[in-house]
Amino acid sequence: MRKERRIETEMIHSNDKHDHGYGSLSAPIFQTSTFAFENAAQGERRFAGKEDGYIYTRLGNPTVKALEERIATLEGGERALAFASGMAAVSAVLFSMTRAGDHVLCSNGLYGCTYGLLQMMKEKYGITHDFSYMQTEEEIKALINDRTTCIFVETPINPTMKVIDLEMVAKVAKQHDIPVIVDNTFCTPYLQRPLEIGCDIVLHSATKYIGGHGDVIAGLVIGKAEYMNRLAKSEQKDIGGVLSPFDAWLLLRGLKTLHIRLDRHTSNAAWIAERLNEHPIVKRVYYPGMDDHPQKVIIDKQMKSGGGVIAFEIEGTKQEAQSFMDHLNLIKIAVSLGDAETLVQHPASMTHAVIPEKDREKMGIHDGLIRLSIGLEAVEDLWQDLKQALNHSNRNKVRA
Ligand SMILES: *Cc1c(COP(=O)(O)O)cnc(C)c1O
């Protein structure tokens, strides 16, 4: 479908056949929990699946469906489902993939709550997991066993921005007939489309770039119709973490500007990453858009641009990192990403605090590491704010 129209156009127009009689340009919000049947026989037909139509919003809603159809087109999938949060999407997918005693192979450096969920699945259901940086085929093959039912990948890996070659992972997975699930939150379909590369399921925390305004919590899953139909009828319907019609509408609105927002997030981030790299107090900058990124070949192959998230390490202790953050004025201290506002957080004590220190260190999440979600402000104002806080830290260092 995107052979005819470009993705920027599809973000605004795809499946826009949702008028319901009044010519409404914006998708109407069907704020209803249930749908009345014309007669009892119709109710029976709908429940039996013999007639299309809505029954009850947990099972489907026209506003939510408009969003699902649009994101399915954008990711190049057959069907999508919307969830009440990114974690509702992650948990529905992981539960759909596993039975007690199964095994999940994951990329190293997962989102904190995904890590927590896997821990819970291990304790309660004996579903084990292994972590891998997935840098070579051998590394992946070595950790696949006969109970491995899926591979779960996040790329770029938060917060150190290492990437995983999705084409390579998909190839190994095919050889073992195991589906690959990709958490595509950091990229969105505008920057990376894992289904087109051969992966099987894509999921999102739509709370981040897709919503884009820091005002909604939501999740999305996209994949083949056969799998998605099963997910809709079991894990989604019976666990019940569905998205509300109003929140679906907010995401439809967010999608219309996703491409221009991401272009600006990216150009701001690329500029800031360069400035940070030149600053004497900054030891290291992690940003997939940098020309000297050691994995540039993979990045150029699978990502349109480096996106809006940067991590960098300053010389110093946790206290020094916190002091730097406390000296920022414009930039807000908050977790999350993809908002219009630039946000800063300290992974070792915030998003990745649940990970034991030893493992955290191995992942490169040291006490001096700081993550920025670059927003849509004028880039000069952002740099002004960062520079004065960095210089403050630097003065203290020289004095000490
Ligand atoms: C935020 C996030 C999640 C969880 O999403 P929620 O909407 O907060 O439930 C999952 N994966 C990644 C990569 C995230 O950044």
Side-chain angles (χ1 to χ4, degrees):
M1 68 351 324
R2 247 191 335 273
K3 308 232 159 38
E4 292 150 45
R5 298 200 296 201
R6 288 164 181 77
I7 192 162
E8 293 86 343
T9 308
E10 294 291 10
M11 283 177 192
I12 299 165
H13 287 286
S14 80
N15 314 92
D16 56 1
K17 307 178 290 289
H18 300 288
D19 178 41
H20 295 268
Y22 297 99
S24 169
L25 185 64
S26 162
I29 302 170
F30 285 90
Q31 192 71 23
T32 182
S33 50
T34 197
F35 298 83
F37 306 127
E38 276 164 18
N39 49 50
Q42 183 181 50
E44 183 183 1
R45 286 197 303 278
R46 294 233 175 130
F47 269 91
K50 290 184 179 146
E51 178 186 300
D52 282 343
Y54 295 97
I55 296 173
Y56 182 70
T57 282
R58 180 159 43 74
L59 316 182
N61 173 285
T63 313
V64 178
K65 188 165 184 215
L67 167 70
E68 291 171 341
E69 289 184 352
R70 186 157 295 173
I71 191 73
T73 301
L74 297 174
E75 286 285 7
E78 292 173 0
R79 185 176 176 189
L81 291 172
F83 289 82
S85 69
M87 284 316 301
V90 171
S91 56
V93 169
L94 283 176
F95 282 127
S96 78
M97 286 286 166
T98 50
R99 290 167 192 268
D102 283 343
H103 172 255
V104 179
L105 177 56
C106 308
S107 59
N108 216 342
L110 288 181
Y111 181 71
C113 298
T114 305
Y115 180 90
L117 174 70
L118 285 161
Q119 222 55 45
M120 186 255 269
M121 289 166 70
K122 186 162 107 185
E123 280 159 28
K124 292 183 78 166
Y125 310 113
I127 298 164
T128 59
H129 56 266
D130 276 300
F131 293 109
S132 165
Y133 281 111
M134 302 189 183
Q135 296 301 305
T136 63
E137 292 186 22
E138 289 64 40
E139 240 178 277
I140 302 169
K141 283 178 191 159
L143 290 172
I144 293 176
N145 65 48
D146 55 10
R147 294 303 302 263
T148 309
T149 54
C150 62
I151 299 180
F152 190 101
V153 180
E154 252 181 74
T155 178
I157 298 172
N158 174 30
T160 50
M161 297 293 144
K162 277 201 186 75
V163 298
I164 290 172
D165 184 339
L166 290 176
E167 191 183 4
M168 189 253 294
V169 177
K171 183 181 145 207
V172 176
K174 281 254 139 65
Q175 289 163 1
H176 291 80
D177 204 17
I178 302 169
V180 179
I181 306 155
V182 180
D183 182 335
N184 204 26
T185 300
F186 273 49
C187 287
T188 84
Y190 184 53
L191 301 189
Q192 175 172 279
R193 288 185 293 282
L195 300 180
E196 291 180 357
I197 301 173
C199 300
D200 302 277
I201 295 156
V202 164
L203 56 85
H204 289 278
S205 167
T207 309
K208 314 296 166 54
Y209 288 102
I210 292 178
H213 295 73
D215 51 14
V216 61
I217 297 278
L220 296 164
V221 180
I222 308 100
K224 287 225 164 60
E226 192 203 346
Y227 168 75
M228 296 305 299
N229 292 345
R230 261 190 290 135
L231 191 69
K233 285 192 189 129
S234 53
E235 284 77 12
Q236 190 187 41
K237 172 173 80 69
D238 297 337
I239 299 176
V242 294
L243 192 64
S244 80
F246 180 67
D247 288 345
W249 182 85
L250 283 173
L251 296 186
L252 280 166
R253 187 166 73 157
L255 277 176
K256 292 185 190 187
T257 56
L258 178 63
H259 51 304
I260 35 177
R261 287 188 287 108
L262 264 170
D263 284 345
R264 179 62 175 261
H265 284 298
T266 298
S267 62
N268 276 0
W271 199 84
I272 295 285
E274 263 181 53
R275 299 285 94 68
L276 284 171
N277 210 20
E278 293 159 358
H279 197 280
I281 200 178
V282 175
K283 265 200 341 208
R284 226 183 316 249
V285 178
Y286 300 102
Y287 178 60
M290 290 177 93
D291 284 336
D292 60 353
H293 193 290
Q295 296 174 295
K296 188 161 170 39
V297 175
I298 302 170
I299 292 166
D300 288 348
K301 183 170 75 166
Q302 69 191 29
M303 291 170 70
K304 180 183 164 74
S305 76
V309 179
I310 302 173
F312 65 99
E313 207 178 320
I314 58 168
E315 216 52 85
T317 60
K318 178 174 90 180
Q319 283 68 30
E320 283 167 301
Q322 288 178 331
S323 161
F324 160 77
M325 290 163 68
D326 288 339
H327 278 88
L328 291 165
N329 300 314
L330 178 65
I331 295 172
K332 298 288 180 294
I333 304 173
V335 295
S336 198
L337 52 116
D339 295 349
E341 294 84 355
T342 296
L343 306 177
V344 66
Q345 68 111 350
H346 183 248
S349 67
M350 295 181 183
T351 49
H352 293 68
V354 292
I355 302 169
E357 189 179 346
K358 187 167 53 61
D359 296 340
R360 221 165 51 218
E361 288 284 331
K362 261 193 266 165
M363 289 156 66
I365 305 172
H366 307 298
D367 282 348
L369 189 76
I370 290 160
R371 189 188 78 186
L372 285 169
S373 167
I374 299 293
L376 303 174
E377 301 94 337
V379 72
E380 296 84 354
D381 291 331
L382 293 176
W383 179 239
Q384 191 80 27
D385 197 27
L386 287 165
K387 195 169 64 174
Q388 59 82 24
L390 285 169
N391 290 346
H392 179 89
S393 307
N394 204 17
R395 269 197 304 283
N396 280 356
K397 272 227 130 42
V398 174
R399 228 179 278 136

